[in-house]
Amino acid sequence: MNDIQNYYDKNTDIEWPRLAERHRTEFAVSYRAMKEYLPPAPALVLDVGGGPGRYAIALAAEGYTVTLADLSAANLEYAQARAEEAGVSLAGRYEVNGTDLGRFDDRSFDSVLVMGPLYHLVDESDRIKAMREAARVLKPGGVVFASFITRFSPFRDSAQGYPEWIADNWEYALHLLETGQHEVGRGFTEAYFAHPREVEPLLRAASLEPVNVIGCEGVVAGHESLINKLSGEAWERWVELNYRLGGDPATHGASDHLLAVGRKAG
């Protein structure tokens, strides 16, 4: 966790523009799902691993009561500055590890976002622990939104930007494909790339009923550059198309990110 915390402390300016520019579709489709499944504002939302607050601030602007929790103190400070720029208030900011939400009471939130921690929890036991903690602080009938980087995402990234990588790192590529486990020092922190078939069982391990699993990039994974320049109706139509297609399991392996929606029994 120290390596991950240090990485985000030193790179507070990465995630916000990533979602606002380079992976605009990921944010738009994920946010579209939130608007469909969240209870009405001012419901209480806990954003775990919310980093610079991209989702937290957007939801706060719509009247939700949002508490932001993250491993990185620098990210929390960045989020506060962004919130002030946007003229919104966060209900609280806390430095926490997603596997231990002990500072929050049982059944205290209407919804919990887990939009980053699962990227970095290599051990299955830690992923289950994080999801169980999210479920614990969730009220009966509440919803969890959990984000995953897919198993095949690093290979698409390599094909698009540095195709020679696979030849230079063949054994490691096979290791990634088989285990999903990414080591520190190879362009990112320690990370886990999930296979689509793992997602629903992980929700159920936390006593959450799967509601939907969405391939965030739909049909445009690796082909977003022109889409990201659109505005108005053309942009909205692409978001709607990818949201609809993202619910088709046939798109899940072809997307870079998956968003799982799970509900706690009422």
Side-chain angles (χ1 to χ4, degrees), residues 7-17 52 72-76 78:
Y7 176 84
Y8 284 107
D9 278 344
K10 294 176 181 177
N11 295 280
T12 56
D13 58 345
I14 288 179
E15 184 65 6
W16 188 287
S72 164
N75 259 336
L76 293 170
Y78 182 95

Side-chain angles (χ1 to χ4, degrees), residues 1-7 71 97-99 117 120-122 126 190:
M1 286 295 106
N2 285 339
D3 287 333
I4 295 166
Q5 183 176 5
N6 290 337
Y7 176 84
L71 191 65
N97 185 322
T99 61
H120 302 291
L121 298 175
V122 172
D126 285 332
E190 185 176 43

Side-chain angles (χ1 to χ4, degrees):
M1 286 295 106
N2 285 339
D3 287 333
I4 295 166
Q5 183 176 5
N6 290 337
Y7 176 84
Y8 284 107
D9 278 344
K10 294 176 181 177
N11 295 280
T12 56
D13 58 345
I14 288 179
E15 184 65 6
W16 188 287
R18 188 188 76 80
L19 290 173
E21 300 166 8
R22 188 161 54 91
H23 288 288
R24 195 174 163 213
T25 298
E26 177 195 342
F27 175 82
V29 169
S30 297
Y31 197 68
R32 169 75 172 74
M34 291 175 191
K35 294 186 75 171
E36 177 170 349
Y37 293 108
L38 277 171
L44 303 178
V45 178
L46 175 63
D47 186 357
V48 181
R54 186 76 174 89
Y55 291 100
I57 291 168
L59 290 172
E62 298 218 27
Y64 286 91
T65 306
V66 187
T67 298
L68 180 62
D70 197 81
L71 191 65
S72 164
N75 259 336
L76 293 170
E77 292 175 6
Y78 182 95
Q80 179 60 27
R82 281 286 190 167
E84 291 172 2
E85 288 176 9
V88 303
S89 297
L90 298 174
R93 293 177 292 117
Y94 299 94
E95 188 176 341
V96 300
N97 185 322
T99 61
D100 181 5
L101 303 179
R103 69 164 53 243
F104 304 114
D105 293 335
D106 295 358
R107 304 182 176 193
S108 53
F109 294 94
D110 298 295
S111 183
V112 180
L113 314 185
V114 187
M115 303 296 289
L118 299 174
Y119 300 171
H120 302 291
L121 298 175
V122 172
D123 293 336
E124 182 182 22
S125 61
D126 285 332
R127 295 192 294 276
I128 292 173
K129 188 183 299 183
M131 292 304 295
R132 285 179 174 169
E133 277 291 87
R136 178 184 64 79
V137 302
L138 188 65
K139 295 178 182 179
V143 288
V144 168
F145 299 87
S147 181
F148 302 79
I149 302 176
T150 62
R151 180 68 53 88
F152 314 114
S153 174
F155 299 99
R156 279 191 295 275
D157 190 53
S158 172
Q160 186 177 34
Y162 39 101
E164 70 286 346
W165 175 86
I166 197 167
D168 297 337
N169 299 273
W170 179 242
E171 293 301 323
Y172 186 69
L174 292 178
H175 163 79
L176 272 182
L177 189 61
E178 180 179 351
T179 69
Q181 297 178 359
H182 177 67
E183 298 172 1
V184 176
R186 291 177 177 265
F188 193 35
T189 68
E190 185 176 43
Y192 184 72
F193 303 118
H195 196 286
R197 64 172 173 254
E198 300 173 31
V199 173
E200 290 193 1
L202 180 61
L203 294 180
R204 292 194 174 96
S207 299
L208 296 166
E209 182 61 30
V211 174
N212 203 351
V213 178
I214 302 161
C216 296
E217 290 81 8
V219 294
V220 302
H223 302 277
E224 293 181 63
S225 58
L226 294 179
I227 301 295
N228 288 338
K229 296 177 183 178
L230 294 174
S231 61
E233 184 177 2
W235 165 251
E236 295 299 333
R237 292 300 186 193
W238 275 105
V239 172
E240 180 64 23
L241 176 69
N242 286 310
Y243 183 69
R244 293 189 184 196
L245 293 178
D248 185 337
T251 69
H252 292 174
S255 294
D256 292 330
H257 298 83
L258 294 178
L259 179 69
V261 184
R263 190 178 304 277
K264 185 174 181 177

